[in-house]
Amino acid sequence: MIPVTEFRQFTEQQPAFRVLKPWWDVFTDYLSVVMLMIGVFGCTFERTEGDNPTPLECDRTEGDPPPPPGTRSQTDRGQYNYINQMCYEKALHWYAKYFPYLVLIHTVIFMVCSNFWFKFPGSSSKIEHFISILGKCFDSPWTTRALSEVSGENPEEKDNKKNSASRSNLDTPIGEGNLEKTQSLRSIPEKIVVDKPAASVLDKKEGEQAKALFEKVKKFRLHVEEGDILYMMYVRQTVVKVLKFILIIAYNSALVSKVRFSVTCTENMQDMTGYRYFCCNHTMAHLFSKLSYCYLCFVGIYGLTCLYTSYWLFYISLKEYSFEYVRQETGIDDIPDVKNDFAFMLHMIDQYDPLYSKRFAVFLSEVSENKLKQLNLNHEWTADKLRQKLQNNNNNRLELQLFMLSGLPDTIFEVTELQSLKLEIINNVTIPAAIAQLEDLQELSLYQCSLKIHSAATSFLKENLKVLRVKFDDARELPQWMYVFRNLEELHLIGSLSSDASKNVTLDSLRELKALKTLMLKSNFTKIPQSIVDVASHLQRLCICNDGTKLVMLNNLKKMVNLTELELVHCDLERIPHAIFSLSNLQTLDLKENNLRTIEEIVSFQHLRKLTCLKLWHNSIAFIPEHIKKLSSLERLYFSHNKIEILPSHLFLCNKLRYLDLSNNDIRFIPPEIGVLQSLQYFSVSCNKIENIPDELFFCKKLQTLKLGRNMLSVLSPKISFLGVLTHLELKGNHFEFLPAELGSCRALKHSGLVVEDTLFETLPSDIRVQMQLDLCLMAF
């Protein structure tokens, strides 16, 4: 006897898998149990009542000869047993003998087919992963919060409601007619299933768990949508069940009549018994006949159910799933449609309870994910933590710098004292209307950020923003809204534009920036963009850093008559552009990191009466023309990092010079005419080949910084004592053997301002050393 529990392994599955069993699978499972019981019932009776029919002698016909003399007219018990076995083996039809076993075999095959996709390694792993994620998404507090927000229901009020439903007894109000090709879900009321009231605001742990769920869903979707193994496995097992149903109906219908109560058996035993024919009674025939008809009925119902399943599989596009009704009901418009195995599993879920798909859809939405990220961001970056990061920037504004965050914390808008906001490598940022709370905000820096802005925020920034810095990788990343900031005074654009910037539409709207005074462009221009000319009437400072791209056409500079500061950095210039000589209001000119070899054009600078600062550093200039003397208004002159060997005495006729940098050249001699520069405050000749310093240098009594390091000096004149306001003296890298005691007369010079080797410092008298160090200690105190 076979116990029913032995068949459990064919149907045993995880309880959570029931969500992937539609009503027809559940129904056929129950039918399989009933058919299994029929088979077990038949086997049990056959074993207990005996497998053989009961033989009886048939009456002799008239033509039969009489039994031979001496034979017995009645068979004994042993002969009955023999006849019994012979009749069972030869006369009884095989269908009548093996019917219950056939029922068992067919039923086990049905069971295996119904659950094979749950056991097959290639499909079971995906199913287990999907069920695990589905359960977590269903129970996640974030799902409840997200659906409550879009439905307009207060989460706090929703959480206070008691829900009698649970995840195990969710209703399934969906019928056969509810499925169409392009729509997968009908509008259903949201049923919140919670074990306990959730907080109106997710705590940090719940937020992190929901964030991890979003990542799992995203990766699972990419993995499952690649193939259709689950769909094909389910189709194949359904087809096998249909074919099995046809086979069973066909042969059972033909053979059920073979189950008879009376079976005629012919056996040559006349010599022993006097009979050749025996009428055997099959004692189980009546029962087996009834069971077979009953079995055929159940198989018929089972087969019709499988045919309906086949219709559902092939008539409806199960490899595509649309969340259209979820999008309409929840208002979350970015929930994507899915395909292949992912779509098939969602179709199966809908047959169990459509609520699962609705709650699962929340974790497919980028909008929902961004809201969660924002919530987690607000938990992590509190207002107090943001205030601790505030620092004063170069413009002496209170600045907050945020780097590589997932978004913009809402708590920023609680830091009302903020004056400058710097965002670096932050994607998908949206500046909301709440930025209007930052009444002191005047400066905004966006470094490689993709940013959107609310219309109300645009209105606020349009009136309040003074400085905007944008760093980008592609010109298409330039925000178009920046051109409406009419009160903007400084605009810094850093990134690669087109090779011909004059044709670049991204700069065509600068004319709207009526208050723009400073424009800094770090890009790859070949000529001055026409859009810059459009703001020439009020532009005062222009800086172009070209990263080595040759700037050829500079004629547009002539139109910028109001420029006071011009920087053409790393533009591969070989001569000083003539267009510069028309800028009569120019005060500062910086031609750093170009390819200037000669500066004969410098004579034309005499027409620039207001020019006070000239920066020709980091070039290849080897000679300073005598025309330099005509620049009488110069106060700051930068010639560092060139190839100058001789300093002309005419240079020192620029007697208004306060700052003179000649470092990193090949200068060997300083003319004594340097003493004419009575206004000189900064003088640097470090990293040259100077052997002697003229005493006339020390007549520049306003000198505060003197850099003589890395030369070939061996003696420092005692007249150093004339420099009473000297605060910084650099002597390191020379050949000095000692320092003059007259350094002690430089009362403003402290130990921190004296850059020499430690051994050389020790050559000073001890009282001077103590005085320098004591003054330093007093300052620190």
Side-chain angles (χ1 to χ4, degrees), residues 373-384:
K373 289 180 179 179
Q374 188 66 42
L375 190 63
N376 290 338
L377 203 62
N378 295 339
H379 278 304
E380 181 179 0
W381 294 92
T382 62
D384 292 336

Side-chain angles (χ1 to χ4, degrees), residues 364-375:
L364 293 172
S365 167
E366 289 188 8
V367 172
S368 177
E369 183 178 9
N370 291 335
K371 287 182 179 180
L372 176 64
K373 289 180 179 179
Q374 188 66 42
L375 190 63

Side-chain angles (χ1 to χ4, degrees), residues 20 121 123 125 230 245 315 318 359 415 457 529 568 693 735 753 773:
L20 287 177
S123 57
S125 58
L230 296 179
F245 150 73
Y315 181 75
L318 298 179
R359 294 177 70 88
V415 188
L568 300 176
I693 297 295
H735 302 155
Q773 295 171 342

Side-chain angles (χ1 to χ4, degrees), residues 481-704:
W481 44 259
M482 72 178 184
Y483 301 116
V484 302
F485 295 161
R486 60 189 179 192
N487 290 328
L488 193 67
E489 297 179 358
E490 291 187 29
L491 177 60
H492 301 250
L493 300 179
I494 306 171
S496 177
L497 295 169
S498 66
S499 57
D500 190 352
S502 62
K503 298 180 181 180
N504 196 326
V505 296
T506 57
L507 297 178
D508 282 351
S509 302
L510 291 181
R511 64 177 66 92
E512 302 296 329
L513 307 181
K514 302 298 184 181
L516 190 65
K517 297 179 180 179
T518 299
L519 178 60
M520 197 285 286
L521 303 173
K522 185 175 181 181
S523 189
N524 52 349
F525 302 113
T526 57
K527 61 181 181 180
I528 302 295
Q530 180 63 35
S531 55
I532 297 180
V533 180
D534 295 337
V535 295
S537 60
H538 45 82
L539 192 64
Q540 297 180 4
R541 181 188 176 194
L542 174 62
C543 175
I544 297 178
C545 182
N546 228 27
D547 288 334
T549 302
K550 191 175 184 64
L551 192 59
V552 180
M553 300 180 65
L554 296 157
N555 293 332
N556 286 337
L557 283 177
K558 296 180 180 179
K559 303 176 182 179
M560 302 180 194
V561 293
N562 292 320
L563 275 184
T564 60
E565 186 173 344
L566 175 62
E567 297 181 16
L568 300 176
V569 178
H570 210 183
C571 296
D572 197 25
L573 299 176
E574 297 180 358
R575 306 294 292 268
I576 298 177
H578 287 37
I580 296 177
F581 306 142
S582 303
L583 306 178
S584 57
N585 290 312
L586 196 63
Q587 299 178 10
T588 299
L589 175 63
D590 188 353
L591 299 177
K592 181 182 179 182
E593 292 183 344
N594 282 285
N595 196 23
L596 299 177
R597 290 181 172 82
T598 177
I599 54 173
E600 292 294 338
E601 300 87 354
I602 203 171
V603 64
S604 300
F605 282 161
Q606 61 183 315
H607 304 298
L608 306 181
R609 303 294 183 182
K610 298 180 180 180
L611 187 64
T612 60
C613 180
L614 179 59
K615 299 180 179 182
L616 299 174
W617 48 351
H618 295 270
N619 280 282
S620 301
I621 301 172
F623 175 73
I624 301 177
E626 66 178 27
H627 308 301
I628 191 74
K629 65 182 179 181
K630 297 183 179 181
L631 307 183
S632 57
S633 61
L634 277 183
E635 296 180 2
R636 302 173 69 87
L637 183 59
Y638 296 75
F639 270 119
S640 65
H641 296 84
N642 278 284
K643 299 179 180 180
I644 302 172
E645 296 183 0
I646 300 176
L647 289 180
S649 58
H650 308 288
L651 173 62
F652 304 109
L653 295 179
C654 303
N655 51 21
K656 291 185 179 180
L657 279 177
R658 295 185 293 108
Y659 187 105
L660 180 57
D661 188 355
L662 298 167
S663 59
N664 291 278
N665 280 281
D666 296 323
I667 301 172
R668 296 179 179 274
F669 175 73
I670 299 178
E673 287 80 1
I674 193 173
V676 177
L677 303 179
Q678 290 299 305
S679 299
L680 194 63
Q681 299 177 10
Y682 180 100
F683 182 60
S684 174
V685 287
S686 58
C687 298
N688 279 281
K689 300 177 181 179
I690 301 172
E691 298 181 358
N692 294 291
I693 297 295
D695 290 343
E696 288 78 4
L697 174 62
F698 303 110
F699 296 151
C700 304
K701 296 184 178 180
K702 294 183 180 180
L703 202 60
Q704 298 178 6

